[in-house]
Amino acid sequence: MPRYSITVEYDGTSFVGWQVQAEGASVQGVLVKAIEAISGETCVVRGAGRTDSGVHALGQVAHFDLSKEWDAFRVGEALNFHVRPHAVCVLNCERVPDTFDARFSAVQRHYLYRILTRRAPPVLDAGRVWWLTQALDVTSMQAAANILIGHHDFTTFRAAQCQANSPWRTLEGFSVTQDADEVRLEVSARSFLHNQVRSMVGSLKLVGEGKWTPGDVQHALDARDRKACGPVAPACGLYLDRVDYAERH
């Protein structure tokens, strides 16, 4: 069966998340219905990451199989027609080998977290940033982020309901930068634990406010205890930025 890979952008505000749930609209569900409208087939759409409710994507990758060969460009165009009016669009569609798997073939995932620091509330970015009314100390936040880079037991920064077999993960990079009123946190790893990024961002926010020091982040990491984590950052500021593969598919 021909396999297709799609790169998807979406606003997660109105979705229960990527994965189909018993109730509520999901990104995966919207794509499944669109493919069925095009081909008459009900197929499984497998994504590179299962983003939670309210989390956005700039470059989610997914794959699915169809029973016959279709022109990939036309599939992408047709999907964009049939996903309307949902806040989802297919940026790219291509034919890939049967061995390609959007989730298991991925070698790196990149997440972006956006924090807006100003007195006035967001209008154009409402629901797409974490709005804080005070400035943050980005230098101290970067010092704390550096502590989390590398191979660690991230028990402190995983959700209580996380189903991963191991709490050990390797962060390849974690940068904290500022552009005018926006603080951008970008983190990369092969894989992440459930709520790991939002948990880390919530703790770094305490550092930026001067309530924690980078040393407190080290203590939280070493504690391997969920209770040592700072408040979890809201979903609205988180984006699945892109997914890397060993070979361009």
Side-chain angles (χ1 to χ4, degrees):
M1 298 176 70
R3 177 161 295 185
Y4 297 85
S5 168
I6 53 175
T7 303
V8 188
E9 177 181 282
Y10 53 85
D11 181 331
T13 305
S14 61
F15 292 109
V16 295
W18 163 264
Q19 194 168 10
V20 172
Q21 305 290 326
E23 297 183 3
S26 68
V27 181
Q28 185 184 43
V30 166
L31 290 169
V32 166
K33 289 181 180 179
I35 294 168
E36 185 174 7
I38 297 167
S39 65
E41 302 176 41
T42 301
C43 64
V44 177
V45 180
R46 304 188 186 279
R50 297 177 180 177
T51 54
D52 290 333
S53 176
V55 176
H56 317 295
L58 300 172
Q60 168 76 284
V61 177
H63 79 266
F64 56 90
D65 299 331
L66 296 176
S67 61
K68 68 176 184 178
E69 194 84 33
W70 293 74
D71 178 77
F73 175 79
R74 293 187 180 277
V75 170
E77 293 290 286
L79 285 175
N80 281 333
F81 177 83
H82 286 287
V83 296
R84 294 184 298 181
H86 297 283
V88 178
C89 77
V90 174
L91 302 176
N92 183 57
C93 178
E94 55 190 303
R95 180 78 160 80
V96 292
D98 295 345
T99 54
F100 174 81
D101 187 290
R103 180 183 176 189
F104 295 110
S105 299
V107 296
Q108 196 92 290
R109 291 168 174 83
H110 305 270
Y111 279 89
L112 164 67
Y113 197 97
R114 300 174 60 202
I115 303 176
L116 182 66
T117 59
R118 71 183 192 194
R119 295 293 301 175
V123 176
L124 298 179
D125 279 328
R128 298 182 179 92
V129 295
W130 186 7
W131 173 46
L132 303 175
T133 58
Q134 73 276 16
L136 297 174
D137 182 347
V138 173
T139 301
S140 294
M141 292 174 71
Q142 182 64 71
N146 291 341
I147 292 168
L148 300 173
I149 296 173
H151 189 59
H152 305 288
D153 180 333
F154 283 99
T155 295
T156 298
F157 302 100
R158 71 187 297 195
Q161 68 271 28
C162 180
Q163 298 178 353
N165 293 328
S166 170
W168 288 86
R169 291 294 184 272
T170 303
L171 295 192
E172 301 293 344
F174 200 160
S175 68
V176 185
T177 58
Q178 185 159 10
D179 181 8
D181 293 329
E182 184 173 320
V183 176
R184 298 169 64 89
L185 299 94
E186 298 174 83
V187 58
S188 303
R190 185 182 185 96
S191 63
F192 292 89
L193 301 166
H194 188 196
N195 276 356
Q196 182 181 351
V197 176
R198 290 168 55 198
S199 297
M200 295 187 298
V201 170
S203 294
L204 293 190
K205 179 250 193 183
L206 294 179
V207 175
E209 292 175 326
K211 296 177 181 177
W212 277 23
T213 67
D216 290 321
V217 173
Q218 181 71 67
H219 292 321
L221 177 66
D222 293 341
R224 302 181 183 181
D225 184 349
R226 182 64 180 168
K227 295 177 183 177
C229 183
V232 177
C236 60
L238 183 60
Y239 298 74
L240 175 53
D241 188 14
R242 70 182 192 276
V243 184
D244 295 339
Y245 296 89
E247 296 182 1
R248 289 189 62 84
H249 49 88

